[in-house]
Amino acid sequence: MEKKKWFIFAVVCLATIGFVFYLAKDQKRNQDTSENIDTSKYDITKYIGPNEDNGQIGDFYKGLAPEKAKLTTIEVFDSQCPGCAGLNPTIDGVMEKYKDKMTYVSRSIVIPAHTNSLAAQAAIIAGGLQNKYWEMKTAVLEKQNTWGLQNIADRTNTFYEIAKSINIPNLEQFKNDMSSSRVKKKIDFDTKIAKSDKMEVKATPSIFFNGDSLSDTKKMGSKESLETLIRENLEKVKVDIKDIKKY
């Protein structure tokens, strides 16, 4: 009987140590890596390519090659922001319609109150490293109510299942990338850029047209109102949009 008690005690101790180690590892991963980054050396109103500060992971974008675009439209979102999830179909749909006229860049900001935002953004970027950024972003935001309050193990499993559902080719690599230091650097870099003096993101989602801010979600609330803003900004830089019919 004594042996059985000691065996149970040993199992409990090992489980406790393992859990503490797991939490410590997650806490270490949450530490900000962007403290010494000088954002002034970047033109943050345009596409930012791979560099040492962002873990050699450049902006994810669609549309015209950045060097050819007269208009760069940047969306800044938080993965756990309900408004970002609700507006994503509208924003992404309109951007897709006009992508051949501009460069559309997607960046994130991690809001501290959103405890699973960092992990969700890591999953999106990990998908992006296998050319599935947009699919992963959409799927993660659609499942926000599922992973939003999950613990570490459950949310990781949710992101893994999402990755499987969108046919990410190398799932083992996806899991490794989610917890990698370079993906963490990319997230911290984007967050610091979003909080910098040139952007000063105070609400999500926020949209910038060549650096000019749009944070009024009412103007993003319908395809028609967002389309009007995009057309106005394209016309401002003399991009011909006569071939695209309005909604």
Side-chain angles (χ1 to χ4, degrees), residues 62-106:
K62 62 170 70 173
L64 289 177
E67 65 274 11
K68 294 181 179 179
K70 292 182 180 179
L71 178 67
T72 299
T73 301
I74 299 172
E75 180 207 7
V76 180
F77 74 102
D78 173 85
S79 301
Q80 203 170 347
C81 155
C84 296
L87 288 170
N88 188 62
T90 297
I91 294 173
D92 204 46
V94 179
M95 297 301 177
E96 179 71 21
K97 182 177 178 180
Y98 286 88
K99 69 178 183 179
D100 292 335
K101 303 292 183 179
M102 63 183 183
T103 299
Y104 168 40
V105 170
S106 176

Side-chain angles (χ1 to χ4, degrees), residues 3-33:
K3 286 183 179 180
K4 187 175 180 181
K5 286 182 180 179
W6 276 108
F7 177 75
I8 293 171
F9 177 73
V11 169
V12 170
C13 287
L14 286 171
T16 302
I17 292 168
F19 181 66
V20 170
F21 175 78
Y22 195 43
L23 286 178
K25 184 179 178 183
D26 193 63
Q27 187 175 22
K28 183 179 179 182
R29 181 172 172 267
N30 288 345
Q31 291 175 351
D32 189 359
T33 62

Side-chain angles (χ1 to χ4, degrees), residues 25 29 122 126 129-130 156 160 170-184:
K25 184 179 178 183
R29 181 172 172 267
L129 293 176
Q130 297 192 49
T156 300
Y160 183 80
N170 189 333
L171 290 169
E172 193 61 35
Q173 186 62 50
F174 171 80
K175 287 175 70 175
N176 291 337
D177 286 336
M178 272 202 302
S179 59
S180 70
S181 59
R182 67 187 294 244
V183 166
K184 180 62 167 57

Side-chain angles (χ1 to χ4, degrees), residues 96-144:
E96 179 71 21
K97 182 177 178 180
Y98 286 88
K99 69 178 183 179
D100 292 335
K101 303 292 183 179
M102 63 183 183
T103 299
Y104 168 40
V105 170
S106 176
R107 290 187 196 145
S108 67
I109 182 172
V110 174
I111 296 173
H114 294 163
T115 53
N116 280 348
S117 176
L118 173 62
Q121 192 56 35
I124 294 171
I125 293 172
L129 293 176
Q130 297 192 49
N131 298 316
K132 292 280 189 177
Y133 179 86
W134 303 100
E135 296 92 335
M136 195 69 190
K137 179 190 174 194
T138 295
V140 166
L141 290 176
E142 285 176 350
K143 294 280 188 181
Q144 192 183 83

Side-chain angles (χ1 to χ4, degrees), residues 145-202:
N145 289 335
T146 299
W147 55 260
L149 296 176
Q150 286 182 327
N151 60 35
I152 297 168
D154 288 345
R155 78 188 180 203
T156 300
N157 185 60
T158 295
F159 297 141
Y160 183 80
E161 290 301 317
I162 290 173
K164 279 174 65 177
S165 73
I166 63 169
N167 299 315
I168 283 184
N170 189 333
L171 290 169
E172 193 61 35
Q173 186 62 50
F174 171 80
K175 287 175 70 175
N176 291 337
D177 286 336
M178 272 202 302
S179 59
S180 70
S181 59
R182 67 187 294 244
V183 166
K184 180 62 167 57
K185 284 185 78 172
K186 166 65 174 168
I187 295 168
D188 290 344
F189 178 81
D190 281 359
T191 295
K192 185 155 188 174
I193 288 289
K195 291 178 177 178
S196 68
D197 292 342
K198 287 184 182 177
M199 296 196 94
E200 292 186 306
V201 172
K202 292 182 171 59

